[in-house]
Amino acid sequence: MSRFLVVRNADRSGLGRLRPWWEEMGLTVVETDGASAPASPEGFDAVVLLGGGFLPDADAYAPWLPAERELARRAVAEGVPLLGICLGAQVLAVAAGGTVLGDHGRPERGSRAVRLRPEADADALFAGMPHEFRAIQNHRDQITALPPGAVWLASSDACPVQAFRMGERAWGVQFHPEAGADRLDGWDEAALADAGLDLGALRAEAERVEPESVRTARRLAANFAEVVLSGAAVGVRPTPSPR
């Protein structure tokens, strides 16, 4: 049975709907907080790095980040499938030599459109997904330079780097496939209002596109699981499938 190591960087940034989907597929999810996460993927068939409201090199604030970056580096080097989400994507980018800037560009909040680039046509994580889809966004920091050798896979109007791949089996996504419209219920309405945003309107739009969001997120989750399971079964890296 394949074991997923899931690193939770913040109490409010959990695995969400990905956990029951992966468990339905027969996968074992082993979740740990950042402070307890190992610096090596040894003993696991995949690594998932979750979000958090700080930068990927904020080591003074989150002293486990050096070990998490090493975990990402080793997963890439050893061909262990990795999925980094939001902060997790930024950790992967910085670990591999990319750049992340805080408070860069326009923040993205609520359900936003993500567009796949032509490079995603033969990518295993995005196989079978539409060229444009909706996903929850909640960030003000951005990856501004991809690591050497990274494949740029998706973008949005406000954030050019929405998804990328390192090697054959390590991905970073800035959007939140684990989050449904109900994630917005815990957002700070007053803080959003100070930023000129209406939480009620954001929630209504997220609920409107929730069926589409569920379909695409579940497909992405299944695609990642397939990468893990096929690698575990045959002991080699799978060839990416066309969309």
Side-chain angles (χ1 to χ4, degrees):
M1 183 175 289
S2 294
R3 301 175 75 233
F4 278 31
L5 171 65
V6 176
V7 179
R8 186 170 185 157
N9 287 293
D11 290 341
R12 298 175 69 180
S13 297
L15 194 55
R17 58 194 179 188
L18 295 182
R19 176 186 283 274
W21 291 347
W22 281 334
E23 289 178 343
E24 287 172 13
M25 299 171 196
L27 306 169
T28 298
V29 174
V30 180
E31 188 169 329
T32 181
D33 61 16
S36 303
S40 165
E42 184 177 359
F44 295 95
D45 300 294
V47 174
V48 180
L49 308 178
L50 297 176
F54 43 88
L55 288 165
D57 56 358
D59 297 356
Y61 178 82
W64 62 85
L65 284 172
E68 189 168 333
R69 293 193 298 271
E70 178 63 15
L71 173 63
R73 278 191 289 267
R74 290 192 59 176
V76 173
E78 297 170 20
V80 177
L82 181 147
L83 177 62
I85 297 172
C86 196
L87 170 63
Q90 297 171 5
V91 167
L92 173 61
V94 169
T99 303
V100 175
L101 294 181
D103 293 312
H104 182 82
R106 290 185 288 125
E108 289 187 299
R109 311 291 185 199
S111 180
R112 293 289 181 265
V114 176
R115 291 183 299 275
L116 297 181
R117 291 170 51 84
E119 291 86 346
D121 287 349
D123 185 83
L125 187 66
F126 294 102
M129 291 181 60
H131 172 72
E132 183 172 306
F133 58 91
R134 302 291 293 270
I136 298 297
Q137 304 272 8
N138 189 23
H139 69 99
R140 65 179 184 273
D141 309 326
Q142 292 191 22
I143 298 166
T144 55
L146 283 169
V151 179
W152 183 18
L153 298 171
S155 65
S156 71
D157 289 340
C159 179
V161 179
Q162 282 289 337
F164 67 98
R165 188 183 75 246
M166 291 300 304
E168 293 297 324
R169 301 203 286 181
W171 289 270
V173 297
Q174 185 62 61
F175 57 91
H176 286 272
E178 84 287 6
D182 58 351
R183 179 68 66 88
L184 278 67
D185 293 343
W187 288 9
D188 188 328
E189 186 169 9
L192 289 167
D194 288 343
L197 298 170
D198 183 331
L199 178 57
L202 292 177
R203 187 186 292 114
E205 176 62 10
E207 290 172 349
R208 184 184 70 82
V209 300
E210 181 72 349
E212 171 195 343
S213 172
V214 169
R215 285 193 301 272
T216 55
R218 188 164 187 131
R219 182 59 189 260
L220 185 146
N223 286 345
F224 186 69
E226 183 179 353
V227 168
V228 178
L229 292 170
S230 61
V234 301
V236 298
R237 296 177 181 177
T239 301
S241 304
R243 272 196 305 128

